[in-house]
Amino acid sequence: MTPNTIKVALIGNPNVGKTSVFNQLTGLNQQVGNYPGITVDKKTGICKINQITRAKIIDLPGTYSLNANSIDENVVIELLLNKNDEDFPDVAVVVTEVENLKRNLLLFTQIKDLEIPTLLVINMSDRMKQKGIELDIPLLEKALKTKIALISSRKNIGIDKIKELILNYKSLSKEACLNASSIDEEYFNRLRKAFPNQLLYKLWLVITQDVNFLNLERNEIENNFTRSHTELKKLQQKETIKRYQFINDTLKVTQKIDKSKATDFQSKLDNILTHKVFGYLIFFGILLLIFQSIFDWSSIPMDFIDTSFSKFSAYTKENLPSGKFTDLLSDGIIPGIGGIVIFIPQIAFLFLFISVLEESGYMSRVVFLMDKIMRRFGLSGKSIVPLISGTACAIPAIMSARNIENWKERLITILITPFITCSARLPVYAILISLIIPEKRFLGFSLQGLTLMALYLMAFFVAIGSAYILNKLLKLKCKSYFVVEMPSYKVPMFKNVALNVLEKTKAFVTGAGKIILAISIVLWFLGSHGSANFDNAEKIIAEKHEKPLTEEMRQNKINAYKLENSYIGMMGKTIEPVIKPLGYDWKIGIAVVSSFAAREVFVGTLATIYSVGSQSEEEATIKMKMAEDIDENGNKIFNFATGISLLLFYAFAMQCVSTLAIVKKETNSWKWPLIQLVFMSGFAYVVALIAYQTLK
Ligand code: GDP
């Protein structure tokens, strides 16, 4: 790092607009990584302060205090206590917001006591007038011994002030707000004597938190200074009370609130949105709207992508010299990339909706609303976030279960999340639904959209049902409490939503995309090479048919014969007896098997298989080729029974190695992912079997 880079830690309570401030400071210069050993996202960004100075900004997870309750919160305290950490900040920027200043300042006073240069950002200044809030900033700066930037990240006001304060961080006072010994004089005097060179408040945090620093003293601390858990808790409470006394006294003279201005629009809205009946109806309505739009809106770009890639593939085939490389390009790589790109509209729309719901403050109401129901199934209201994020991808969803404090509730949430319909299933559903469900409308809703919604709901109910069973089966005792904050309703900020959509889509393309492309290439190879029969296909067909065939029929026969005798055809044939009862032929078998690496491979695989063994025109889309496919008796392969059976199989089977890997990581054992794999796939097989046998 160059000498002109200032290291900045961005800290704050959840919902104060920390992400918005981070986005304003860093724009697109952001990077998302991981803290070593744990799965908490580590967001960093570079901010240009002036011509020669840069700031490296670390966006730390939102936390209410330094009394850590979760892994996320631990990250904050571990960084701030560890001077040797490469990211140890030169300056801490604590973000707060005008409406909840009192609560937000608790964290500020704690950070200040670590004697790191700390500056205070008070966000959402645009709401002051409406809420009748006035602040005496110079007096507040004096009382808190800091510099303050009063800003509105929404209106882009005051961001330069933050930069200026960061630039001049050396002039910030390092003085503490609270004299730590006042928590318990006698105890702290002893501590001071034993460790004259250590900061008292730091020692206090090391004693009360389970953090791994100051290792040298750890033993000594444990021998001489530990107190019973209840005693420590009492002292922590005393600390909190002292801090609030200080904050109250300070705000009394620096803040004026005109109570008459406090509109009750917010609470009226809450009454409706968290209402016992309407609350659920509205939530259900919103979900319906979301799924309808995902299906309707993304079909246009998706059709366009599908046709473009088929055209491009045909174009390369016609215009490049024929040979292995051209085959690889037009039958392997191009359809493979197409299979990734085609997801982008749906993923982007889904994240657009999720982040709008989060940004507007509505998601917290949903969490609150759902808690009552979720509890009965051994889940927490907070499980709704993983369950909803699971509609995008189980991987980030399972990671987001970290917010659930209770281990049993968290484990159950992790185990059931893969049932939720993820975006990788969406293209599978989309293509199958469009093959077997007519394009009609029912009460104004598209029948295809309703089928999609039914699949989502079914997955949700199976997930909840499994949670209920797991709750009865798992013998784990954990105490549980539930805190959810109701941030005020706000119009979502475009920049936040856009960056979130961009980040999630990028993560999908670079993460899952690589696997899909690799598998497409492997599949192309397996599909275009094979046994001796494969190589001699032309001769064999010629010998078989004594009567001369038309050129087109001859080519079709050769292609079909080649596919059957390729490596992939042989693999598909091997498993055919197992999947036949489900209504699948060997071609579908290949797609199902390769989907165990990742579901989204299904469409790509069929695309590759149907390109390799194409019997129709080059430019036909994959969907057209699938719709035309018939078995030896002339019946459609993708008929209603097979389609439903496949939909159900994909709804329930655990076909995603990445999810298994993340579950292993989050539960720290192979036991749970293995149980998931066996149980979910077994269940999928049985359900698909019953469906096909009843419907055929
Ligand atoms: P975080 O949880 O602290 O990262 O907060 P976010 O950045 O996600 O913001 C929480 C909510 O506050 C979102 O709905 C933002 O649109 C909103 N918000 C952020 N900054 C401002 C601001 O300056 N003024 C107003 N009125 N709303 C803001």
Side-chain angles (χ1 to χ4, degrees):
M1 191 151 296
T2 58
N4 281 333
T5 302
I6 303 170
K7 286 182 280 180
V8 179
L10 206 58
I11 309 167
N13 290 184
N15 295 314
V16 294
K18 193 163 60 64
T19 311
S20 319
V21 173
F22 180 71
N23 289 343
Q24 292 288 17
L25 286 172
T26 60
L28 282 171
N29 293 320
Q30 302 185 358
Q31 255 193 327
V32 187
N34 234 319
Y35 288 98
I38 48 171
T39 45
V40 178
D41 272 351
K42 179 179 182 177
K43 259 191 171 171
T44 54
I46 299 293
C47 168
K48 201 172 152 189
I49 302 277
N50 62 22
Q51 286 305 330
I52 47 168
T53 316
R54 302 273 179 281
K56 179 184 177 192
I57 303 190
I58 304 171
D59 184 19
L60 288 167
T63 175
Y64 288 104
S65 71
L66 286 184
N67 310 331
N69 282 321
S70 66
I71 318 175
D72 279 32
E73 291 177 338
N74 242 330
V75 167
V76 180
I77 173 159
E78 294 205 352
L79 176 66
L80 296 180
L81 288 185
N82 187 4
K83 276 216 164 97
N84 299 324
D85 193 306
E86 58 157 356
D87 288 329
F88 184 80
D90 296 311
V91 51
V93 176
V94 179
V95 185
T96 58
E97 55 116 345
V98 283
E99 281 180 73
N100 291 299
L101 206 50
K102 182 170 147 189
R103 195 192 57 216
N104 296 164
L105 282 176
L106 177 78
L107 179 67
F108 172 82
T109 64
Q110 285 184 313
I111 307 250
K112 188 90 173 83
D113 293 357
L114 292 173
E115 303 191 355
I116 299 168
T118 303
L119 68 89
L120 180 64
V121 169
I122 305 180
N123 190 22
M124 307 201 194
S125 62
D126 54 294
R127 293 179 71 85
M128 288 173 75
K129 203 164 159 209
Q130 187 197 353
K131 294 277 163 178
I133 301 174
E134 280 173 45
L135 286 171
D136 184 340
I137 297 291
L139 200 59
L140 196 57
E141 284 183 331
K142 218 166 135 198
L144 297 174
K145 302 182 184 106
T146 186
K147 290 278 172 210
I148 296 176
L150 180 64
I151 69 152
S152 162
S153 57
R154 169 173 300 240
K155 302 250 148 89
N156 203 359
I157 298 171
I159 304 297
D160 286 338
K161 173 85 181 178
I162 306 179
K163 291 186 189 170
E164 181 197 316
L165 292 178
I166 291 177
L167 183 67
N168 298 315
Y169 76 93
K170 284 194 178 128
S171 65
L172 289 168
S173 141
K174 283 201 204 172
E175 216 180 318
C177 276
L178 179 88
N179 170 12
S181 10
S182 69
I183 300 174
D184 181 339
E185 291 280 355
E186 189 270 336
Y187 183 71
F188 277 78
N189 277 340
R190 275 203 299 135
L191 263 180
R192 195 195 313 275
K193 273 196 197 122
F195 308 102
N197 298 325
Q198 288 291 351
L199 187 64
L200 268 189
Y201 188 59
K202 223 172 180 174
L203 281 171
W204 171 237
L205 285 176
V206 173
I207 293 170
T208 48
Q209 314 291 312
D210 197 15
V211 282
N212 304 320
F213 298 111
L214 312 173
N215 279 339
L216 282 179
E217 292 94 358
R218 181 116 218 152
N219 284 339
E220 196 171 343
I221 292 177
E222 279 180 353
N223 294 337
N224 299 310
F225 293 95
T226 37
R227 293 187 156 190
S228 74
H229 186 70
T230 29
E231 246 179 310
L232 284 177
K233 272 270 165 279
K234 259 197 196 137
L235 284 181
Q236 267 186 334
Q237 280 163 6
K238 197 168 158 195
E239 179 198 336
T240 308
I241 292 171
K242 282 208 168 283
R243 288 188 188 280
Y244 272 127
Q245 272 167 356
F246 167 75
I247 294 167
N248 277 338
D249 292 346
T250 308
L251 287 181
K252 222 179 255 165
V253 291
T254 54
Q255 185 189 46
K256 258 204 269 171
I257 301 179
D258 180 354
K259 287 267 160 42
S260 67
K261 287 265 175 92
T263 49
D264 63 348
F265 168 70
Q266 177 106 11
S267 51
K268 273 192 192 138
L269 200 55
D270 267 343
N271 284 344
I272 303 171
L273 293 182
T274 58
H275 187 270
K276 273 188 289 203
V277 180
F278 301 126
Y280 296 105
L281 283 179
I282 292 171
F283 181 47
F284 188 78
I286 290 178
L287 284 184
L288 184 73
L289 217 72
I290 290 179
F291 293 126
Q292 282 288 318
S293 345
I294 289 182
F295 211 86
D296 277 354
W297 297 352
S298 40
S299 67
I300 301 163
M302 285 177 77
D303 284 346
F304 173 75
I305 293 168
D306 200 9
T307 348
S308 308
F309 273 88
S310 328
K311 281 201 176 134
F312 185 44
S313 170
Y315 178 83
T316 50
K317 212 168 203 169
E318 276 162 24
N319 291 287
L320 291 178
S322 62
K324 280 268 175 270
F325 175 75
T326 306
D327 281 355
L328 171 65
L329 198 65
S330 59
D331 293 339
I333 294 176
I334 294 173
I337 295 178
I340 304 162
V341 175
I342 202 153
F343 284 105
I344 292 176
Q346 283 168 337
I347 292 194
F349 277 127
L350 188 69
F351 273 106
L352 177 75
F353 289 118
I354 289 186
S355 47
V356 165
L357 292 188
E358 266 173 359
E359 271 270 313
S360 62
Y362 179 64
M363 197 66 111
S364 304
R365 273 74 188 180
V366 176
V367 167
F368 170 76
L369 201 63
M370 285 297 163
D371 196 58
K372 289 174 228 160
I373 301 182
M374 299 294 226
R375 264 212 189 270
R376 291 191 211 146
F377 298 96
L379 296 165
S380 143
K382 289 186 183 168
S383 309
I384 197 73
V385 178
L387 293 184
I388 292 179
S389 324
T391 53
C393 175
I395 295 155
I398 285 171
M399 284 161 61
S400 73
R402 260 177 276 122
N403 283 338
I404 304 169
E405 293 85 0
N406 177 306
W407 169 243
K408 185 173 172 183
E409 288 168 0
R410 186 173 154 212
L411 179 64
I412 296 180
T413 309
I414 291 176
L415 292 178
I416 63 164
T417 297
F419 270 128
I420 298 298
T421 308
C422 63
S423 57
R425 288 173 175 109
L426 205 50
V428 181
Y429 289 176
I431 202 154
L432 290 173
I433 288 176
S434 65
L435 282 173
I436 61 168
I437 307 285
E439 239 174 281
K440 290 202 185 113
R441 293 205 166 247
F442 177 73
L443 298 177
F445 291 111
S446 107
L447 216 52
Q448 298 187 336
L450 288 175
T451 313
L452 184 69
M453 169 128 173
L455 282 164
Y456 272 80
L457 285 178
M458 181 188 67
F460 183 76
F461 288 119
V462 169
I464 293 281
S466 316
Y468 185 79
I469 298 170
L470 283 167
N471 188 33
K472 296 270 176 252
L473 289 181
L474 289 175
K475 298 271 171 277
L476 292 170
K477 279 259 168 293
C478 305
K479 77 172 180 323
S480 169
Y481 56 97
F482 178 68
V483 201
V484 59
E485 189 186 351
M486 298 283 180
S488 52
Y489 291 105
K490 295 181 189 81
V491 179
M493 272 164 73
F494 174 75
K495 193 168 184 175
N496 289 357
V497 174
L499 282 172
N500 191 20
V501 171
L502 201 71
E503 184 195 305
K504 295 293 184 333
T505 313
K506 213 170 95 187
F508 168 77
V509 173
T510 51
K514 271 185 255 164
I515 307 177
I516 302 176
L517 185 59
I519 292 184
S520 308
I521 293 173
V522 171
L523 284 173
W524 164 80
F525 176 83
L526 295 175
S528 55
H529 297 77
S531 63
N533 282 349
F534 179 93
D535 298 328
N536 299 325
E538 310 206 349
K539 233 168 84 193
I540 295 171
I541 292 292
E543 282 166 9
K544 249 195 194 163
H545 298 272
E546 280 140 19
K547 273 188 247 153
L549 294 163
T550 66
E551 177 53 27
E552 193 192 338
M553 274 170 77
R554 197 182 72 93
Q555 204 51 49
N556 283 347
K557 295 254 180 240
I558 292 173
N559 283 342
Y561 188 80
K562 273 188 161 179
L563 185 58
E564 262 189 273
N565 288 286
S566 63
Y567 292 125
I568 204 163
M570 292 172 351
M571 281 160 69
K573 293 241 152 139
T574 317
I575 62 157
E576 202 166 20
V578 185
I579 54 170
K580 193 133 207 165
L582 308 185
Y584 314 157
D585 70 346
W586 53 276
K587 285 187 200 169
I588 303 178
I590 298 165
V592 169
V593 169
S594 52
S595 293
F596 271 87
R599 292 177 191 93
E600 52 270 47
V601 167
F602 178 80
V603 180
T605 307
L606 288 176
T608 318
I609 296 171
Y610 282 92
S611 306
V612 173
S614 174
Q615 302 186 12
S616 42
E617 296 164 39
E618 292 296 358
E619 270 188 30
T621 65
I622 305 307
K623 202 169 107 184
M624 283 154 65
K625 290 180 190 170
M626 285 166 73
E628 283 164 12
D629 197 19
I630 44 171
D631 65 13
E632 59 267 26
N633 305 325
N635 299 319
K636 275 196 171 169
I637 297 279
F638 288 93
N639 57 29
F640 187 70
T642 302
I644 295 288
S645 156
L646 262 176
L647 282 174
L648 292 171
F649 189 83
Y650 273 80
F652 300 128
M654 176 50 142
Q655 296 165 292
C656 179
V657 268
S658 315
T659 304
L660 290 172
I662 203 81
V663 174
K664 149 82 176 59
K665 200 166 166 196
E666 296 286 301
T667 60
N668 210 5
S669 116
W670 277 111
K671 177 175 151 194
W672 299 113
L674 284 177
I675 289 179
Q676 269 179 324
L677 177 67
V678 173
F679 177 77
M680 290 178 65
S681 308
F683 182 67
Y685 187 89
V686 173
V687 174
L689 180 72
I690 295 172
Y692 181 73
Q693 296 300 333
T694 344
L695 292 173
K696 75 171 176 184

